[in-house]
Amino acid sequence: MEFSLKHASADKVRSACVIVGLYEGGKWTPSGEAVDKASAGYLGNLLKRGDIKTKAGACTLVHSVPDVSAARIVVVGLGKPDELKLKTLREAISGALKAAAASGAEEATLFSLEWSAAGTSASDRAMHSVLVASDGEYRFDHLKSKKNDQDRRLKKLVIGAATRLSATEERAVTQAAALGSGISLAKDLGNLPSNICTPTYLAQCARELGKRHKFKVTVLERKELEKLGMGSFLSVTKGSQEPPKFIVMEYSGARKKEKPVVLVGKGITFDTGGISLKPAAEMDEMKYDMSGAGSVLGTFEAVAGMKLPINVVGLVPACENMPSGTATKPGDIVTSMSGQTIEILNTDAEGRLILCDALTYAERFDPAAVIDIATLTGACVIALGHVATGMYANQDDLSAELESAGHAIWDRVWRMPLWDDYQEQIKSPFADMANIGGRPAGSVTAACFLARFAGKYPWAHLDIAGTAWKSGRDKGSTGRPVPLLTAFLMRRTAG
Ligand code: BES
Ligand code: MN
Ligand code: ZN
């Protein structure tokens, strides 16, 4: 999809479809007013007759409005002006763009900068307009042999503004387009089935990203992982025929000596559970168990696309978790790269086993902060559902940064406790720790396991088990938390 900004008046702009807002109670936004005036009260008459819906999010399509240059006008309800929140703003944009696309228009001009939602600037609104549009136009249909020819889509979005636009707003649009492309990449990687999106495929994708954006990519193979002593990561790979990969991406947008932010993504390209085999129902969704990895690659696409002046390292341990005659068995004890030993009581708690070695590997970059991203626990879905990502941090400042970035970009996290009390649950009689802590607080004990490997730097853990993809009728990757990670990195460059 193509995005641009245009300084224009809503009644005069040549467009297949102009989108204007209407507040509850019948108060027009400036652009709605402009269209109404130019058409000698045409819209106002429709409104009086009750032909224009005024509820927040409701859309009305009006054709051939007299003395207006656009072929169609979509009026979208914004609710009460002083109650307009970011959530409503995004829903209004999404609904209006759907109505525009359904009308047959291939291009739309959206006057959303004047919809002053609480706590947003005009550039925030420009950014959200592009992100919502890009999310709505996303399709994953390249594996269907016939395309759906009834599927009407917008090819171009123009963000219209009656007032002059600043350089910041212009930049917000190009940055949002780069972020949109990173989100789409993460969605594609998540939606790809595990027979295509293998560890080797992820590594190849990282290499191509590196080539396109000119950053360094190294892929460590099994031999090198053995030499590094990644006994925990390697234990997960033992049941699979697919070779494991450990992907290292190094984007240097800032001065050499500036400490990097290290992003670590769980890259289980399929999680059967291993010998602790999962039940059959919905097991297909375990192709999404590499969504953490996908979010790291997606964030690199976004950050490199924006040429952000920051140093970022991406680490992705990638493998399959399969049962077989050579697979790790419950009760097996392995030695991690850190030297700590782990009793594997459940081979389905494999995410923490691959992440812990990556967290140890991260130390060599002398990181400013390390953030790991993982579809780690079903328990996190029970705790927070599909709204907030579970967030854990060993530092309050880092936690606050993630919370506020998530809120601003509408990719929210909720902080969970990392208290020592929970460490009791992962004690083992035979090794330094067990890889499971029983049913209570399953997301917390998983995080506590990781904390034992992340003591040497500011660290946060994002459990995206509930937020990385949607199940059911709109099954598909959400691309989260690429918006959160990118917003977090953008804010680090601003201050
Ligand atoms: N990838 C799963 C977590 C998961 C399950 C995410 C369902 C989203 C939906 C992870 O590897 C796993 O299997 N975790 C186990 C841990 C348990 C054995 C302690 C879980 O959550 O059941
Ligand atoms: Mn598992
Ligand atoms: Zn898993």
Side-chain angles (χ1 to χ4, degrees), residues 266 271-273 278 286 289 321 347-351 376:
K266 173 178 172 183
D271 182 11
T272 65
K278 286 182 180 297
M286 284 299 116
D289 213 18
N321 186 23
T347 63
D348 198 10
E350 85 297 341
L376 204 61

Side-chain angles (χ1 to χ4, degrees), residues 70-221:
R72 308 168 182 81
I73 303 286
V74 164
V75 178
V76 57
L78 299 175
K80 298 203 175 96
D82 42 354
E83 285 175 16
L84 184 55
K85 296 210 172 68
L86 182 53
K87 181 171 189 283
T88 329
L89 174 85
R90 288 179 53 105
E91 285 164 0
I93 295 169
S94 163
L97 291 174
K98 272 199 192 105
S103 78
E106 291 193 339
E107 169 271 339
T109 308
L110 172 68
F111 284 85
S112 53
L113 297 194
E114 57 193 39
W115 305 348
S116 318
T120 65
S121 65
S123 17
D124 292 337
R125 298 193 283 278
M127 173 153 279
H128 283 288
S129 300
V130 171
L131 290 179
V132 168
S134 154
D135 190 61
E137 291 313 301
Y138 177 83
R139 299 288 186 283
F140 186 77
D141 53 10
H142 24 288
L143 297 178
K144 289 194 189 247
S145 60
K146 287 194 195 74
K147 301 278 172 267
N148 175 5
D149 53 15
Q150 297 302 304
D151 187 21
R152 293 176 156 185
R153 301 177 59 175
L154 289 177
K155 293 195 176 116
K156 205 173 155 205
L157 176 70
V158 181
I159 297 172
T163 52
R164 285 230 166 269
L165 295 152
S166 70
T168 336
E169 285 147 17
E170 296 275 358
R171 207 182 50 171
V173 170
T174 51
Q175 289 194 320
L179 173 48
S181 148
I183 295 168
S184 296
L185 173 62
K187 286 183 184 176
D188 280 346
L189 291 173
N191 289 331
L192 279 170
S194 72
N195 61 327
I196 296 175
C197 186
T198 58
T200 306
Y201 184 95
L202 282 178
Q204 197 48 35
C205 179
R207 281 199 192 96
E208 277 161 23
L209 268 185
K211 243 196 217 124
R212 189 148 51 79
H213 292 296
K214 300 190 174 50
F215 61 76
K216 185 176 162 194
V217 177
T218 321
V219 178
L220 307 181
E221 309 288 337

